[in-house]
Amino acid sequence: MENLGSTWNKWDLHIHTPCSLTQQYGGDTDEVWEKFISDIEKLPAEIRVIGINDYWFLDGYRKVINFKTSGRLKNIQTIFPVCEFRIKKFSGVNFGKLKRINLHVIFSPLLSHDIIQAQFLDTLQSAYCLDSENNDDSWLATITKSSLIDLGKKIKQTTPHDKVSTLGSDIEVGFNNLNIDEERILRHVKTNTYLKGKCFLALGKTEWADLTWTESIIAEKKDIINKVNFVFTAINTVEEFNKSKDTLKAQNVNNLLLDCSDAHCCSTQLDGKGNLVKDRIGNVLTWIKAEPTFEGLRQVLYEQDYRIVISDNAPREPIRKIEKVEFNFPETIKIKRHDSSLFQDLCIKNVKEINFSPYFTCLIGGRGTGKSTIINIIAEKLGAKTDFFDSKQNGVFIADSHTIAYDLRNDKNNYIQISGSPEIEFISQGTVEKLTDGEKLTHLIFQERVLQPNTKLQEFNQNLNEIVKTTDIQINLIFESVKIQNDILVKTNESKDYESVINSINDPIYLRITNKISSITKEIASIDGSKLKYENLLKNIKSTIQSTVIDKDLKNEYESRLVEIINHLSAFEEFEITEDLFELKLQSFIKTDDERNALDIDLIKEKEELAKFFTEKGTSQESINDSQSANENLARIHQQIKVLDATKNNLILNIENNKEKIDAVKDIYDESTKLIKESILQLNHKLKVSNENVSPIKYEYDFNKEGYNYGLFEEFQTLFKSYHISGTSWPNVREVLFSVKPDNQLLLMDYVQFSANLKNVINRKFSGNNNYVKMILNIFALESNFDVYKYLVRKHLYNIFEYINIKGYYGKRDLDTCSFGQKCTAVIVTLLMTGVKPLIIDEPEAHLDNRLIADYLVDLIKEKKSDRQIIFATHNANFVVNGDAELIHILEIPEDDNFTTITPTTIENISNRDKLLKLEGGRDAFEKREHKLLIR
């Protein structure tokens, strides 16, 4: 069975058997006992601990243990012997108003029933009895079932006849009037050598609840409640339990309340009238987080707020958790420092598996036993960069049979297998203080604690990223549209030159021939253009089909329609698709190709006619060639201008469409800013600390103006580097550019306003003869470049997720100005109080004050570990013991060995207690400190 340390199980410490003095099982017979044992075996799996309580006698407990020894009750891990007594305190003189207080003694299961009988029960044989009607005090020298029956008969003989039927059986009446002086019990369990430290006391709720908190008995009532360890109750709902607990709290007395079944019958059976009776056996609400042992119950006394939960369902665990890590290192595995030539055996190479509690796990051991190695391996495997394996920090590396570093992240040989959450928050030695610095602090607070848990912010971030991409496209479209417009102007000027050549000859024959050539050339260009569009379209469709991912598991209408469209496109004759092949086979259209060939022939004929015309006129060959070229080129250029115009119009349409998308960035920015500020306020609220060892910690959102200016100008420089004048300093260019602040006011300017502002600033601050001024003026001589610049400003100014900056404060001081210890305190407290990923820290105590750990952090860990898993590699006993670690891994290297052994244990595990005490220097050192400091 995997050792998961202290785990949640249901405990029922108050179950009566068929041997009990009072019960409704049907008698102490083999048949009844078989049904009783079967009922316990059918209890829900979460019930692992029961207490057998047959009042004064141990007969039932002996039988249950015998069943367990014979192989039955495998579902029950631990069975406690419990005895229940009526105590003398509050026994009234009027039988009808008798207040019976039940005192339970819970014994360690390690005590044999013979020891309990001889060392405890046999010492209490002399018991006080009360005949309430006759005020006849008597003593029972020997308490047996027969003596109790005789006592019951005697009491009934002196009781009015009309009350006898309500008293119950003879043995029940006898026991109810058997009163033990509670001081004898208390004294005995504290002083008896066999019992000392092996018993707990509990008070029954039914009776103490009946006692009113009146002035006459309130002191005595509080006294007896405060003398016991636990208070038993038997309730049906959590609300009833809380009401009882609140009553105890209101009186400022012991409120360590446990819900027990107080079962007196089988789970379902018929009563005397034939009605179905359902007992509470198996329906307790008490969940205890501990090993199912007497020592586990002892820990509840110290940690009742964290080790007991009253609930129908199991207490929740953190959602994200590392469950275990498995190692499969080869014998040849080595480890060495990057700055050393010495290879050493990896001390943990024989470790096969390490489990982790979903709550708080500590790895402890001497230096060199592999604590840091283990948790840094886990961190590297899960993608968290560590200093431990960082060559720049002279860290270490692991190598198998080769001398090169083994890639822990990719781990091609599967040396490491981690079950559970793939995401962690890892803090290595020496990195705590670094987390207070700008970029790292922003990541710690914003990325991990603001952005990641907020799905709405993540959606805004995604939308902003899409707008950034659209802005980049928009800028390219603007540049492209300017280029095309320039191309159109060039082509138009070219066409005018050719037209002048053609129009210089007015002969009708010449005009007829040139018009024919122009017409044929346009048709040829048209067919060639259509063919090119056909080929490009099919290539784009092929690319779209190949890049579209179809999720066959999704059954929504969008995915279904997407499949239909892809199937339709794939059915085109141009595509040949198999499992391993996707070929594009463009078709040839014979009719159009024949027409194209015929046009070539016609064009040749017309050119020959034109040449003949010029020859007859006595024109030179050079003039003939010029005229032929003009006619052909004019038709081609007209076609090109037509295509360019269409492209330009398409660009303008796309620019307008993109503009609408990009304009939404301001609204997203405003909403994101609002959410971020709200999230940080909530974060600060969580970080409110009321402890003298910790100053107030808070964080504030800030816009990273320096980062914004840098990012904006870097992209500006890339886009407009073609304007650079050799030898000109870019920082000077930046100074001129930012003389008109790139803020919201700039975005409201049009080109005329911006140009005027820019020139005014330049005239006041700069010399127009400087090249860096000329560069800016040359860039913004074009209005389109101003449009691009505005898009750049908008892209960077509103990209809040790119330029967010978090500032931290400890008390009234900026974290940047705080001391080393204050910085570490702020970070550790923030890490523990916030965040959802498993938190792994290597030696958290390295930078912290012991008083802070003992007086604050351990309680904080106990509070937060139910929300997020915490794993420490530590030397500090305060974290381990006072932090109430659910699972402790003790790492040791035996004197005659070089390799680490790991002992999983818990605080309540006695067999490993001495190993745990080594954190304090061993048992002797601990006891010496107690004596020297007068703690005892």
Side-chain angles (χ1 to χ4, degrees):
M1 183 177 178
E2 292 181 334
N3 191 330
L4 300 179
S6 305
T7 57
W8 289 107
N9 290 293
K10 276 188 175 181
W11 293 40
D12 185 355
L13 295 177
H14 193 172
I15 294 177
H16 291 267
T17 76
C19 286
S20 182
L21 295 179
T22 61
Q23 45 86 16
Q24 292 90 43
Y25 294 103
D28 183 9
T29 66
D30 291 344
E31 181 181 359
V32 171
W33 267 97
E34 177 58 34
K35 177 170 176 52
F36 173 77
I37 295 298
S38 296
D39 274 352
I40 294 179
E41 289 176 329
K42 294 174 185 176
L43 290 176
E46 62 265 18
I47 298 182
R48 306 290 294 166
V49 180
I50 61 174
I52 298 301
N53 183 353
D54 286 342
Y55 298 106
W56 190 287
F57 303 101
L58 296 172
D59 310 33
Y61 174 72
R62 289 189 180 94
K63 284 195 174 185
V64 172
I65 291 299
N66 288 337
F67 276 106
K68 177 73 174 172
T69 304
S70 69
R72 301 289 297 272
L73 302 174
K74 292 180 180 178
N75 58 316
I76 302 300
Q77 194 163 344
T78 306
I79 302 170
F80 281 81
V82 185
C83 290
E84 179 179 349
F85 305 94
R86 306 285 193 243
I87 62 174
K88 182 178 179 181
K89 184 165 286 190
F90 306 120
S91 55
V93 294
N94 184 289
F95 187 79
K97 297 180 180 179
L98 177 65
K99 303 300 181 183
R100 294 178 293 110
I101 298 293
N102 290 350
L103 184 64
H104 305 253
V105 182
I106 306 165
F107 297 96
S108 167
L110 299 178
L111 287 174
S112 70
H113 44 73
D114 290 333
I115 290 290
I116 297 171
Q117 183 69 48
Q119 298 296 324
F120 182 68
L121 292 177
D122 289 347
T123 68
L124 299 176
Q125 291 298 303
S126 180
Y128 171 81
C129 307
L130 174 67
D131 180 349
S132 58
E133 288 295 318
N134 298 317
N135 292 327
D136 180 19
D137 295 348
S138 60
W139 294 86
L140 227 58
T142 303
I143 300 175
T144 62
K145 289 186 179 180
S146 60
S147 65
L148 291 178
I149 291 172
D150 291 341
L151 177 61
K153 289 178 179 178
K154 177 183 176 183
I155 291 173
K156 281 186 175 182
Q157 291 172 359
T158 60
T159 301
H161 182 73
D162 58 341
K163 295 182 180 180
V164 171
S165 60
T166 64
L167 297 181
S169 66
D170 293 338
I171 195 170
E172 182 178 0
V173 173
F175 179 71
N176 285 340
N177 286 272
L178 178 68
N179 296 280
I180 304 293
D181 185 347
E182 72 279 358
E183 291 299 332
R184 294 176 64 190
I185 297 175
L186 294 171
R187 183 171 58 253
H188 204 64
V189 298
K190 289 180 180 180
T191 59
N192 184 281
T193 304
Y194 291 93
L195 304 178
K196 187 177 180 180
K198 298 174 184 177
C199 301
F200 293 127
L201 300 177
L203 210 61
K205 184 260 180 186
T206 303
E207 291 76 27
W208 67 255
D210 288 339
L211 288 169
T212 58
W213 299 96
T214 61
E215 290 186 7
S216 60
I217 62 171
I218 189 170
E220 289 186 288
K221 181 172 180 178
K222 287 185 176 183
D223 178 68
I224 187 62
I225 292 176
N226 286 330
K227 282 181 178 178
V228 300
N229 304 107
F230 303 99
V231 181
F232 281 173
T233 185
I235 43 84
N236 294 306
T237 65
V238 175
E239 290 73 20
E240 289 180 42
F241 179 92
N242 291 336
K243 185 177 179 180
S244 296
K245 193 173 182 70
D246 289 342
T247 300
L248 295 172
K249 285 182 178 180
Q251 294 298 327
N252 196 28
V253 294
N254 177 14
N255 61 79
L256 215 170
L257 201 59
L258 300 180
D259 174 43
C260 306
S261 66
D262 193 13
H264 283 71
C265 67
C266 291
S267 56
T268 56
Q269 66 182 47
L270 299 179
D271 62 13
K273 298 180 180 179
N275 299 317
L276 187 65
V277 176
K278 290 187 178 181
D279 199 55
R280 292 190 71 249
I281 187 170
N283 293 321
V284 291
L285 302 176
T286 298
W287 293 85
I288 291 179
K289 181 171 58 177
E291 288 191 8
T293 62
F294 185 79
E295 283 299 312
L297 186 59
R298 189 191 304 280
Q299 294 305 314
V300 174
L301 296 174
Y302 308 116
E303 303 289 354
Q304 64 167 305
D305 291 337
Y306 304 102
R307 291 217 181 209
I308 296 180
V309 166
I310 302 299
S311 172
D312 291 305
N313 303 312
R316 63 182 177 85
E317 295 180 353
I319 297 173
R320 305 182 186 190
K321 49 187 175 287
I322 296 174
E323 295 167 354
K324 67 179 176 180
V325 57
E326 298 173 89
F327 297 125
N328 185 31
F329 291 121
E331 282 295 321
T332 55
I333 199 78
K334 301 287 183 181
I335 189 170
K336 88 172 192 71
R337 296 192 65 84
H338 283 280
D339 59 354
S340 170
S341 60
L342 181 64
F343 281 86
Q344 295 178 323
D345 284 321
L346 180 63
C347 66
I348 63 166
K349 76 174 184 180
N350 294 332
V351 175
K352 298 303 179 185
E353 180 178 291
I354 303 175
N355 294 300
F356 295 95
S357 166
Y359 305 104
F360 185 30
T361 303
C362 286
L363 280 69
I364 66 172
R367 296 195 180 278
T369 54
K371 302 185 304 299
S372 294
T373 304
I374 289 171
I375 63 173
N376 278 274
I377 284 176
I378 293 172
E380 283 281 339
K381 174 71 174 179
L382 295 179
K385 188 61 181 173
T386 70
D387 292 340
F388 192 86
F389 293 105
D390 187 356
S391 59
K392 296 178 182 178
Q393 300 291 333
N394 293 324
V396 304
F397 73 84
I398 290 176
D400 50 19
S401 58
H402 307 288
T403 58
I404 59 173
Y406 184 73
D407 188 347
L408 292 173
R409 292 192 184 186
N410 295 323
D411 191 22
K412 63 182 184 300
N413 295 327
N414 291 323
Y415 291 160
I416 308 146
Q417 296 291 323
I418 299 176
S419 304
S421 173
E423 294 183 294
I424 61 171
E425 190 164 29
F426 174 69
I427 311 299
S428 62
Q429 292 184 33
T431 62
V432 173
E433 188 189 20
K434 295 177 184 177
L435 291 175
T436 62
D437 296 335
E439 184 178 342
K440 292 185 180 295
L441 181 64
T442 296
H443 180 84
L444 174 70
I445 301 301
F446 178 67
Q447 295 292 336
E448 295 289 335
R449 284 154 177 77
V450 175
L451 179 60
Q452 190 174 77
N454 195 316
T455 54
K456 191 65 178 177
L457 267 181
Q458 291 180 32
E459 180 185 334
F460 284 155
N461 188 21
Q462 185 176 350
N463 291 341
L464 275 177
N465 287 334
E466 292 300 319
I467 290 177
V468 166
K469 293 177 183 178
T470 303
T471 302
D472 291 337
I473 293 171
Q474 186 81 328
I475 289 171
N476 289 331
L477 290 177
I478 292 173
F479 283 138
E480 184 66 20
S481 67
V482 171
K483 181 178 178 300
I484 287 175
Q485 184 59 44
N486 289 334
D487 289 345
I488 290 174
L489 290 174
V490 172
K491 296 295 181 185
T492 300
N493 291 332
E494 284 185 45
S495 70
K496 290 178 180 179
D497 291 339
Y498 293 128
E499 285 173 354
S500 65
V501 173
I502 295 170
N503 293 335
S504 65
I505 304 173
N506 295 321
D507 189 289
I509 295 173
Y510 171 80
L511 293 175
R512 179 187 62 75
I513 296 171
T514 55
N515 285 337
K516 185 66 174 176
I517 289 174
S518 177
S519 176
I520 293 170
T521 304
K522 285 180 181 178
E523 288 188 54
I524 291 172
S526 176
I527 292 173
D528 289 347
S530 296
K531 182 179 181 181
L532 181 62
K533 287 190 291 183
Y534 164 75
E535 292 175 350
N536 288 338
L537 176 63
L538 268 296
K539 289 176 182 177
N540 288 334
I541 292 175
K542 177 186 176 183
S543 176
T544 300
I545 293 173
Q546 289 178 310
S547 63
T548 302
V549 178
I550 302 296
D551 192 337
K552 296 180 180 179
D553 295 331
L554 294 178
K555 305 299 181 184
N556 62 66
E557 292 176 317
Y558 292 106
E559 200 73 18
S560 298
R561 183 56 179 161
L562 188 60
V563 171
E564 291 175 4
I565 293 171
I566 293 296
N567 290 339
H568 183 72
L569 293 174
S570 301
F572 288 172
E573 295 177 8
E574 285 82 357
F575 299 132
E576 182 178 337
I577 304 175
T578 63
E579 288 185 4
D580 304 320
L581 188 68
F582 192 143
E583 285 192 356
L584 173 60
K585 295 186 176 180
L586 298 173
Q587 295 190 38
S588 296
F589 299 94
I590 298 174
K591 179 181 177 182
T592 301
D593 289 345
D594 288 345
E595 290 177 358
R596 173 67 171 75
N597 292 333
L599 287 170
D600 281 339
I601 294 170
D602 290 343
L603 183 60
I604 292 170
K605 288 180 180 179
E606 294 301 325
K607 287 181 179 180
E608 290 173 350
E609 283 290 318
L610 184 61
K612 182 181 178 182
F613 169 79
F614 279 116
T615 302
E616 290 175 352
K617 295 290 186 179
T619 307
S620 67
Q621 186 63 43
E622 184 179 353
S623 297
I624 294 172
N625 292 341
D626 185 38
S627 179
Q628 288 178 333
S629 175
N631 278 278
E632 289 182 49
N633 288 334
L634 183 61
R636 175 176 53 78
I637 288 172
H638 281 163
Q639 180 63 25
Q640 289 174 346
I641 291 174
K642 182 179 178 181
V643 172
L644 289 172
D645 274 331
T647 303
K648 183 186 75 171
N649 291 334
N650 187 50
L651 286 174
I652 292 172
L653 181 61
N654 287 335
I655 288 171
E656 286 300 315
N657 290 337
N658 288 339
K659 185 176 181 300
E660 185 176 347
K661 296 177 185 177
I662 295 170
D663 284 345
V665 70
K666 181 63 165 61
D667 291 336
I668 295 175
Y669 170 85
D670 290 340
E671 288 295 322
S672 299
T673 303
K674 180 181 176 183
L675 274 179
I676 289 169
K677 290 182 176 179
E678 289 176 353
S679 297
I680 292 177
L681 279 176
Q682 293 171 5
L683 179 76
N684 289 334
H685 182 73
K686 292 179 182 177
L687 287 170
K688 285 188 176 179
V689 177
S690 55
N691 187 284
E692 63 180 11
N693 298 295
V694 184
S695 296
I697 301 167
K698 71 173 184 177
Y699 297 93
E700 291 181 356
Y701 156 74
D702 188 29
F703 182 69
N704 186 355
K705 187 176 180 181
E706 183 178 346
Y708 160 70
N709 287 335
Y710 177 84
L712 172 62
F713 186 73
E714 186 177 45
E715 190 167 3
F716 176 88
Q717 181 179 339
T718 300
L719 290 176
F720 296 106
K721 61 184 177 182
S722 61
Y723 288 86
H724 186 251
I725 299 173
S726 179
T728 305
S729 167
W730 279 109
N732 288 339
V733 175
R734 169 176 161 158
E735 184 182 0
V736 179
L737 177 66
F738 288 167
S739 63
V740 178
K741 290 183 180 180
D743 54 16
N744 284 300
Q745 293 300 315
L746 184 144
L747 295 176
L748 296 175
M749 296 179 190
D750 58 23
Y751 178 60
V752 174
Q753 291 171 322
F754 174 76
S755 298
N757 283 352
L758 180 62
K759 289 175 181 177
N760 286 336
V761 174
I762 288 174
N763 289 335
R764 292 198 316 269
K765 294 185 176 182
F766 306 98
S767 170
N769 295 323
N770 290 325
N771 284 341
Y772 50 83
V773 174
K774 292 178 181 178
M775 278 181 59
I776 291 296
L777 292 176
N778 289 341
I779 290 170
F780 290 115
L782 291 178
E783 183 175 354
S784 59
N785 285 343
F786 172 64
D787 292 337
V788 167
Y789 182 52
K790 284 180 71 173
Y791 278 115
L792 278 183
V793 171
R794 185 183 283 105
K795 168 186 171 180
H796 289 270
L797 184 63
Y798 294 143
N799 194 352
I800 186 172
F801 299 96
E802 179 69 21
Y803 298 114
I804 190 169
N805 185 41
I806 299 295
K807 292 182 69 67
Y809 295 88
Y810 187 73
K812 296 181 179 180
R813 297 177 62 185
D814 189 315
L815 275 181
D816 290 338
T817 65
C818 287
S819 69
F820 179 78
Q822 290 171 330
K823 290 181 178 182
C824 295
T825 298
V827 169
I828 291 291
V829 170
T830 299
L831 287 168
L832 289 171
M833 294 189 76
T834 61
V836 293
K837 296 178 183 177
L839 175 63
I840 303 179
I841 306 183
D842 189 5
E843 295 194 15
E845 68 273 13
H847 311 301
L848 299 173
D849 179 75
N850 258 331
R851 183 178 177 184
L852 174 70
I853 295 172
D855 292 349
Y856 178 64
L857 291 183
V858 292
D859 287 330
L860 184 59
I861 288 171
K862 288 188 288 189
E863 179 184 343
K864 294 300 178 181
K865 63 187 177 182
S866 61
D867 295 322
R868 71 181 309 197
Q869 185 185 41
I870 301 172
I871 300 171
F872 282 179
T874 180
H875 298 283
N876 191 288
N878 277 314
F879 280 132
V880 181
V881 180
N882 295 346
D884 200 31
E886 279 76 9
L887 180 57
I888 305 162
H889 290 295
I890 303 173
L891 281 67
E892 298 173 292
I893 297 181
E895 290 184 5
D896 57 347
D897 203 343
N898 294 321
F899 301 107
T900 301
T901 62
I902 297 184
T903 305
T905 190
T906 61
I907 294 170
E908 58 263 28
N909 190 307
I910 299 177
S911 60
N912 295 314
R913 181 82 37 99
D914 282 339
K915 290 184 178 182
L916 197 57
L917 280 169
K918 287 182 180 180
L919 278 175
E920 291 285 356
R923 183 182 295 273
D924 289 343
F926 185 76
E927 290 178 350
K928 285 178 181 178
R929 283 200 301 273
E930 280 192 312
H931 287 298
K932 290 180 72 174
L933 298 176
L934 300 177
I935 295 174
R936 289 186 175 182

